[in-house]
Amino acid sequence: MSFFGFGQSAEIEIYLDGQETRKTAEVKTDDSKKERFLLYYDGETVSGKVNISLKKPGSKLEHQGIKIEFIGQIEMFYDRGNHHEFISLVKELARPGEMIANTSYPFEFSCVEKPFEVYTGTNVRLRYFLKVTIIRRLADIVKELDIAVHTLSTYTEMNNSIKMEVGIEDCLHIEFEYNKSKYHLKDVIVGKIYFLLVRIKIKHMEIAIIKKETTGQGPNTFTENETIAKYEIMDGAPVRGESIPIRVFLAGYDLTPTMRDINKKFSVKYFLNLVLMDTEDRRYFKQQEITLWRKGDKIRKSNAHSPSIMAGTQNLQNTAQLHQKSSENKENNDIINETDQSPEEGFAGVKDFLRAPNSESNDKLNSRDPFEEKTSSPSEEIEDSQIQNMTREAGDGQNDVSNDVAE
């Protein structure tokens, strides 16, 4: 930047180790554009070198010290003057002095904790970046480099299905069911909707994925809702006993993991919104929260040459050889016995093949489909006291208050 004819006398370049082969991730910037940054995970070391080159050969650069910082920062768009730093690491590259030639400084932030994922929303931005500062008397020379951070999770134990009966009293009773409550970002939402009672004229039904971003606390709380995707799953009037299948693929949408109370500054939640519209254009909806998480795709390195695995492999090979020898001896004895028998005796000694479990049988597999378990009507199992009311959207221009039921 030029100031009264004087510009910066040096240029800064930040080079990260392995940046030619490291994976990149697309990150949304605050101006709604997308850029690709080098991707890191929690606990990974961030290292590289800082190259400082003088613009004029033969000149010198006086400075009060050179430092590099690794910063994790949350920025509220409605309060841009205040940045909340949850990580701030500093390393000194050079002490005060003069620089008379181009210089390179190595740096390393080992095993850096990165507890949150990068995020850019409507009112908030979370970012990680490296910041190099050449401290000078008049104006510092500063260079920043952003990186992307993804948080990986696993939900393998408790992942129950979502099952709920909702409706409008004496008008509409429906039961919706989703196969899981937690989905990874490339997952598929599978479900169904079962109509138990239909006494209103429904025109169509749709399902939407809604992102709810909450920032701030107390009276300074701001909430923004964004519709990520919307599907029309039914067109026309349903009848009692009809079942509508649902299948939503998440891979094609710009989704982030669910974020809950990040550094006590903001939260990001996702909801499945089921909407029904009648012939008078009145809309009834019911929202259900789901949890999204990022599934790790890192390939684990092979340990096939470790001593324990090699010893186990050798034991397996020895066991297989012994089994093969015993099988050959048994076959030879069977051939000798068969030559002493008459044809009738030989056929009488033949045994039937045993059918393998679940082979051409009606036995259920362990990997069950949650939607094949129940063949009877859901109304036989769910009491009326468990029915939850749907909400009619305001502003539809109708004066009929009999159907307005609050959640």
Side-chain angles (χ1 to χ4, degrees), residues 13-20 47-51 107 145:
E13 179 189 9
I14 304 175
Y15 174 85
L16 294 174
D17 291 338
Q19 65 181 24
E20 294 85 1
S47 61
K49 57 184 179 180
V50 176
N51 300 323
F107 69 91
L145 177 67

Side-chain angles (χ1 to χ4, degrees), residues 15-34:
Y15 174 85
L16 294 174
D17 291 338
Q19 65 181 24
E20 294 85 1
T21 57
R22 179 173 288 274
K23 291 178 60 176
T24 60
E26 203 171 57
V27 178
K28 186 188 297 184
T29 59
D30 54 359
D31 55 357
S32 298
K33 296 181 181 180
K34 291 185 177 181

Side-chain angles (χ1 to χ4, degrees), residues 85-244:
E85 295 182 356
F86 55 90
I87 292 179
S88 181
L89 305 176
V90 184
K91 288 189 178 295
E92 185 180 3
L93 300 179
R95 294 182 177 181
E98 292 184 353
M99 183 183 297
I100 59 175
N102 299 341
T103 311
S104 180
Y105 301 97
F107 69 91
E108 179 179 354
F109 296 97
S110 60
C111 304
V112 183
E113 181 184 2
K114 312 174 194 70
F116 311 124
E117 181 160 326
V118 292
Y119 175 76
T120 302
T122 306
N123 292 322
V124 64
R125 180 187 183 190
L126 189 150
R127 60 189 286 244
Y128 295 86
F129 61 97
L130 292 164
K131 180 179 179 181
V132 178
T133 305
I134 302 177
I135 304 173
R136 305 189 68 193
R137 292 182 178 178
L138 282 179
D140 296 341
I141 304 176
V142 179
K143 176 72 173 182
E144 294 182 357
L145 177 67
D146 283 77
I147 64 170
V149 172
H150 283 175
T151 57
L152 305 180
S153 305
T154 54
Y155 287 95
T156 56
E157 297 179 357
M158 298 296 294
N159 197 356
N160 299 326
S161 61
I162 300 174
K163 187 175 181 180
M164 188 179 299
E165 187 172 347
V166 298
I168 305 166
E169 187 176 1
D170 297 331
C171 294
L172 177 69
H173 288 173
I174 65 174
E175 179 189 82
F176 66 81
E177 184 176 2
Y178 305 115
N179 61 336
K180 292 184 290 187
S181 58
K182 303 178 179 69
Y183 299 89
H184 61 80
L185 299 183
K186 306 295 181 183
D187 214 336
V188 182
I189 299 175
V190 179
K192 72 170 184 177
I193 298 172
Y194 191 84
F195 288 88
L196 306 176
L197 176 65
V198 182
R199 290 182 180 174
I200 59 176
K201 296 180 180 180
I202 299 177
K203 184 166 61 174
H204 77 271
M205 179 169 57
E206 64 186 24
I207 188 170
I209 302 174
I210 296 178
K211 182 177 78 171
K212 184 177 181 180
E213 176 188 293
T214 304
T215 56
Q217 291 181 341
N220 297 323
T221 301
F222 299 90
T223 301
E224 294 289 340
N225 293 331
E226 178 184 356
T227 301
I228 304 297
K230 184 183 293 185
Y231 289 92
E232 183 175 347
I233 57 178
M234 187 192 70
D235 186 13
V239 296
R240 180 180 179 182
E242 188 170 2
S243 179
I244 307 297

